[in-house]
Amino acid sequence: MSTLAIHNTLTRRKEPFVPLVPGRAGVYVCGPTVYDYIHVGNARTFSVFDLVVRWLRATGLEVTYVRNVTDVDDKIMDRARARGEPIEALTERTVAAFEEDCARLLLVKPDREPRATRYIGPMVELISVLESKGLAYRAANGDVYFSVRDFPGYGKLSRRNLDDLRAGERVAIEAAKHDPLDFVLWKAAKPGEPAWPSVFGDGRPGWHIECSAMSARELGATFDIHGGGWDLQFPHHENEIAQSEGASGQPFVRYWMHAAFLNMGEEKMSKSLGNVATAREVLASLDPVQGGEQLRLLLLRGHYRSEITYTRELLDDAGNALRGLYTALRETPPADGPVDWTSPWAARFRDAMNDDFDTPVAFAVLHELRAEVNRTRSPALAGLLKGLGATIGFLQQEPDAFLKGGVTVDVAALIAERQAAKRAKDYARADAIRQELDAAGIVLEDKPGGVTEWRKK
Ligand code: AMP
Ligand code: ZN
C-alpha cells in the first residue's frame, strides 16, 4: 500500500509525508487580500489546497486547516478611499463574496479563518520578541523593520543569495532601512490610515508578520504544511520563515507546497496585468447547477505544479467530462458503502493521489472506471466511482438533478405536450417543441416504451 509523498519546495524533492504528531496534520494556506473578487487564478490555488486537505483526511489524518484573511493592506485602503466606503464595509462585503465563490467551487470551510485585524496583539508581541533578539529595529521614520542580515537562513526557500538580491535592489529606495532587503514589520501611523496602539507607537502591521503570528497561534511554532501560490515563495514565505524561525528558534514548516500559476494568454493571470476573469463572472456564464464543479474540474485536473492556461475550450471540455461521469452514475445507480481500497481502480487512484497529488492520473482512473460502469452496469463499481470522487470533492450531486442543470423552462410540461402532439399525429407541433427545448439548451432522448428523458446540452 502506498503512502503519501509531497514535493517540498524547501528541498525541491518529493518526501514521504510524516506528520509532526502521528495521525494529525496542521495546514496553513495564505488566504485572500479582501478588496475585490477573486479571479480564477486565485481560485486555482485555493482549490488545490482544498484537494490537499480532502486527501489528507481521506488517508485518515485529522487535519486542522487554517486559511487567513488579509483585511488590512494598502490595496484595501486605496480601494475603500476610491469608493468612498469605510474599510470594514469593503472587507466584510468582499469576505461574503469570497465565501459564496468558495461554496460554489465546493471548497471545504477551513477550521479557522483568522483575520489580520483581530490578531494585532499577537503580531505586536512577535515583533517585540524579534526586537529583543536583535532581529528587528526601529527606524528613524517610526517604522519597525526586520534585519535580514541578522537571520542566517534568509533565502533558503527561494534559493536566493543575498548579494544577488541586493544587486537587484535600487540603492536607497527607503533611507530608513539599514539594508535594502530589510522588510517592514510595523508601519508608523499616517493621517487618515487605520492604526492600532502598540509599544512601537500607533501604526499597523506589515503584511508578512500576520501569517507568522496567526499560524503560531493556531498551529504552533512548527507545523506540517504551508501552502500558497507560486509567487508567494519570495518574498512573502521567505519573510515568514525569517520571522517565525527568528523568533522561536524552531523549524517553522515541515513541508512547503506551492501551486503553479493559472495563465491567461501568455501571462500569469493577475490584477496588476489586468488579464483577469473573476471566478464569479465565469460561474455566471455557466449552468447554475453544473458550473461550480465544472470550474473546479478545470482547476484540478492538471497537476498542481504545472501551469495551466485558462481557455473557454478547457472549460467546455471539463463540463463534458463531468457530464460523462454523472451520466454513468445516473444509468447505474451506485451502491452505498465505503471505498474498497483493494480494488485495482481504487489502488491506482490512491497511488496517484499519494504520489504528490497526481490528479491527471487519478482522473484518468475515474474515466476508466466510468467506461467499466457503463459496460458492466455494476452498482458496486458505480459506488466505487462515486466513493473515489468523494475523496477529492467530486461527483456528490444527485446525477439526474446535476444533468438537468438549472433550467428555466417547464421541461416536463413541454415533454407531455409533445407526447400528446405525437399521439395526435401533429408532428409539426412535436418538432416545434423539440426545437424550443433545444434553444433552451435541453436535449431530449426518446427511450423505448415511449419514455422521453432529457439532459442539459
Ligand atoms: P492574493 O489575494 O493576490 O494575495 O492571492 C491569493 C492567492 O492566489 C495567493 O496564494 C496567490 O499566490 C494566488 N494566485 C494569484 N494569482 C494566481 C494565478 N494566476 N494562478 C494561481 N494562483 C494565483
Ligand atoms: Zn502568508
Side-chain angles (χ1 to χ4, degrees):
M1 199 181 104
S2 65
T3 53
L4 180 60
I6 295 180
H7 181 274
N8 189 347
T9 314
L10 189 64
T11 58
R12 304 286 197 276
R13 270 202 286 275
K14 263 187 226 173
E15 299 173 352
F17 179 65
V18 182
L20 189 62
V21 179
R24 292 172 184 261
V27 179
Y28 185 96
V29 176
C30 296
T33 303
V34 287
Y35 67 103
D36 207 344
Y37 300 133
I38 57 161
H39 58 66
V40 291
N42 305 135
R44 179 190 198 190
T45 290
F46 298 135
S47 301
V48 162
F49 290 99
D50 176 80
L51 181 101
V52 166
V53 166
R54 284 175 183 269
W55 184 250
L56 292 172
R57 287 184 174 144
T59 66
L61 292 167
E62 201 179 300
V63 179
T64 304
Y65 175 23
V66 183
R67 188 184 60 209
N68 70 304
V69 172
T70 300
D71 62 352
V72 53
D73 170 85
D74 288 337
K75 282 180 266 186
I76 296 173
M77 290 181 335
D78 293 348
R79 181 64 62 93
R81 201 174 293 130
R83 294 179 63 99
E85 186 178 18
I87 286 177
E88 236 171 76
L90 170 67
T91 57
E92 285 299 328
R93 201 162 43 74
T94 313
V95 166
F98 175 63
E99 285 176 355
E100 279 172 23
D101 293 343
C102 289
R104 290 220 47 208
L105 286 163
L106 307 170
L107 304 188
V108 292
K109 207 167 161 46
D111 300 297
R112 320 253 168 81
E113 297 177 85
R115 296 196 193 179
T117 53
R118 296 177 194 170
Y119 285 70
I120 304 290
M123 293 188 224
V124 173
E125 275 171 40
L126 182 55
I127 300 170
S128 296
V129 172
L130 291 171
E131 189 186 36
S132 72
K133 293 197 163 189
L135 289 167
Y137 60 90
R138 304 181 196 212
N141 64 358
D143 291 349
V144 182
Y145 289 97
F146 188 94
S147 179
V148 165
R149 75 174 70 159
D150 292 310
F151 179 72
Y154 197 80
K156 67 182 175 183
L157 176 68
S158 54
R159 306 222 170 161
R160 288 170 203 236
N161 162 303
L162 293 197
D163 293 329
D164 293 349
L165 281 172
R166 281 195 190 96
E169 293 280 332
R170 276 163 297 154
V171 189
I173 310 172
E174 294 202 50
K177 292 187 193 180
H178 295 173
D179 183 311
L181 295 184
D182 292 350
F183 56 90
V184 72
L185 299 166
W186 187 257
K187 300 183 190 189
K190 295 195 183 62
E193 290 186 355
W196 288 263
S198 85
V199 291
F200 308 106
D202 289 0
R204 62 188 167 99
W207 174 36
H208 313 296
I209 197 71
E210 74 178 73
C211 290
S212 285
M214 295 192 288
S215 65
R217 273 287 154 124
E218 302 298 343
L219 296 171
T222 304
F223 60 92
D224 295 297
I225 296 177
H226 192 319
W230 194 254
D231 54 336
L232 296 191
Q233 285 176 54
F234 185 87
H236 184 52
H237 289 161
E238 202 68 73
N239 293 351
E240 283 188 32
I241 293 174
Q243 296 164 155
S244 295
E245 298 192 350
S248 75
Q250 309 288 320
F252 176 39
V253 167
R254 293 158 59 83
Y255 301 84
W256 281 98
M257 292 183 67
H258 293 95
F261 287 144
L262 176 138
N263 298 323
M264 181 81 124
E266 304 283 290
E267 286 171 309
K268 169 201 170 189
M269 182 175 285
S270 100
K271 283 201 192 102
S272 53
L273 293 171
N275 60 346
V276 302
T278 63
R280 50 185 48 214
E281 76 186 277
V282 171
L283 290 168
S285 74
L286 299 173
D287 180 90
V289 173
Q290 300 178 356
E293 198 169 342
Q294 179 177 354
L295 179 56
R296 179 181 170 86
L297 181 60
L298 167 112
L299 297 172
L300 293 177
R301 73 202 300 210
H303 192 267
Y304 77 92
R305 284 189 291 114
S306 302
E307 296 191 357
I308 44 179
T309 299
Y310 174 79
T311 62
R312 192 73 205 185
E313 290 71 47
L314 274 188
L315 195 55
D316 291 343
D317 202 50
N320 290 333
L322 209 49
R323 283 186 288 273
L325 291 162
Y326 270 110
T327 302
L329 294 178
R330 186 185 64 186
E331 300 305 310
T332 306
D336 282 335
V339 168
D340 171 12
W341 290 108
T342 63
S343 106
W345 288 281
R348 280 170 56 215
F349 181 92
R350 186 188 52 207
D351 290 349
M353 289 302 295
N354 276 343
D355 182 12
D356 193 33
F357 311 95
D358 194 345
T359 51
V361 174
F363 281 110
V365 173
L366 295 187
H367 286 293
E368 274 178 42
L369 194 49
R370 172 192 58 108
E372 200 60 13
V373 168
N374 288 341
R375 193 178 68 79
T376 60
R377 302 283 160 145
S378 152
L381 287 183
L384 185 61
L385 177 59
K386 184 175 176 190
L388 292 176
T391 65
I392 53 172
F394 285 93
L395 304 181
Q396 299 309 296
Q397 304 190 53
E398 204 284 303
D400 197 50
F402 178 89
L403 290 165
K404 287 188 164 69
V407 265
T408 47
V409 287
D410 188 347
V411 187
L414 285 167
I415 287 178
E417 195 188 333
R418 175 167 167 268
Q419 267 157 345
K422 283 212 278 192
R423 275 194 301 275
K425 300 206 162 19
D426 183 355
Y427 297 113
R429 176 68 193 137
D431 262 1
I433 291 170
R434 179 187 275 279
Q435 276 160 26
E436 182 182 341
L437 285 167
D438 187 77
I442 285 154
V443 187
L444 299 182
E445 288 167 11
D446 290 322
K447 299 267 160 128
V451 181
T452 301
E453 288 192 351
W454 62 274
R455 61 180 168 81
K456 287 274 289 177
K457 258 201 284 206

